[in-house]
Amino acid sequence: MIIHTRRAEREDAYELFALARQYTTGRTAISKDDFIVTLDNVLKYRDQETNVLFVAYSDEKVTVRSLDGLVEKSDEPDVRNKVVGYTLMTVSRLLHASGLTAHIQEIVVDESVRGQGVGERLMQVNERYCNVRGVQQISASTARIGSFFNHIGYEPVGEHYRKVLGHG
């Protein structure tokens, strides 16, 4: 399977939502309405380069499906390559480190294509992006795929903690 990467677009919403629902963190999966708001904000503020959303896609063709109006409907169905994974990376400055830093917030590969190099390809495009921007380091937190990060040259440097806040 040949894997390509690019920045995410609104037309990816339906497939991104399906992938995001595969990302399990022990919390309730994101609702469609919350996902639409989040994706819209990530894409709207794309020029500020704080949240960087890449997708991996295969040569398989699929019809673009709308996710509640994020994609405008046309008379002709739009056919495009199938999205099989994504990464969401944040780029920022930290007070304790020189220059820009990046953190992989999410990496999701469709269950049907795991183990076929999609995750590595996504990480390569993130690393190239960071090199061009002058990012000094990339970090990632994981509870399940540490062996993947070790395989591509990352080393463990700490522990990851989380507290779910009970709002509403």
Side-chain angles (χ1 to χ4, degrees):
M1 171 174 55
I2 298 173
I3 298 298
H4 310 276
T5 56
R6 61 174 166 73
R7 296 290 291 268
E9 302 167 352
R10 289 190 191 292
E11 291 79 10
D12 300 321
Y14 187 86
E15 291 171 286
L16 285 169
F17 179 63
L19 288 168
R21 303 275 301 182
Q22 289 183 29
Y23 187 86
T24 55
T25 61
R27 296 173 54 188
T28 305
I30 193 166
S31 71
K32 184 168 56 169
D33 291 340
D34 287 342
F35 176 84
I36 289 169
V37 169
T38 301
L39 180 62
D40 189 49
N41 278 300
V42 167
L43 295 176
K44 183 187 306 182
Y45 300 110
R46 172 181 173 147
D47 293 341
Q48 294 175 3
E49 302 288 353
T50 302
N51 293 307
V52 182
L53 181 59
F54 284 108
V55 296
Y57 60 95
S58 69
D59 291 330
E60 181 182 345
K61 300 292 185 189
V62 295
T63 302
V64 174
R65 296 175 66 184
S66 179
L67 192 64
D68 284 353
L70 265 180
V71 179
E72 292 183 25
K73 294 182 180 182
S74 65
D75 294 334
E76 294 292 320
D78 187 13
V79 177
R80 57 190 299 140
N81 296 85
K82 181 179 181 181
V83 174
V84 293
Y86 75 85
T87 53
L88 178 62
M89 176 175 65
T90 55
V91 178
S92 63
R93 293 188 181 275
L94 302 176
L95 293 176
H96 74 276
S98 298
L100 292 171
T101 64
H103 186 80
I104 302 297
Q105 299 291 342
E106 299 177 30
I107 179 169
V108 180
V109 174
D110 189 279
E111 295 168 342
S112 67
V113 295
R114 288 183 186 157
Q116 298 182 38
V118 175
E120 286 185 56
R121 184 78 176 92
L122 282 164
M123 291 304 295
Q124 289 168 354
V125 75
N126 280 283
E127 290 173 12
R128 274 197 307 276
Y129 175 89
C130 287
N131 279 328
V132 169
R133 293 254 341 256
V135 172
Q136 302 293 314
Q137 78 174 16
I138 302 174
S139 62
S141 301
T142 183
R144 299 174 310 168
I145 59 172
S147 60
F148 166 75
F149 285 108
N150 288 332
H151 172 73
I152 61 172
Y154 287 68
E155 57 187 50
V157 293
E159 298 179 52
H160 180 78
Y161 295 90
R162 174 181 75 183
K163 181 177 185 178
V164 177
L165 302 175
H167 298 285

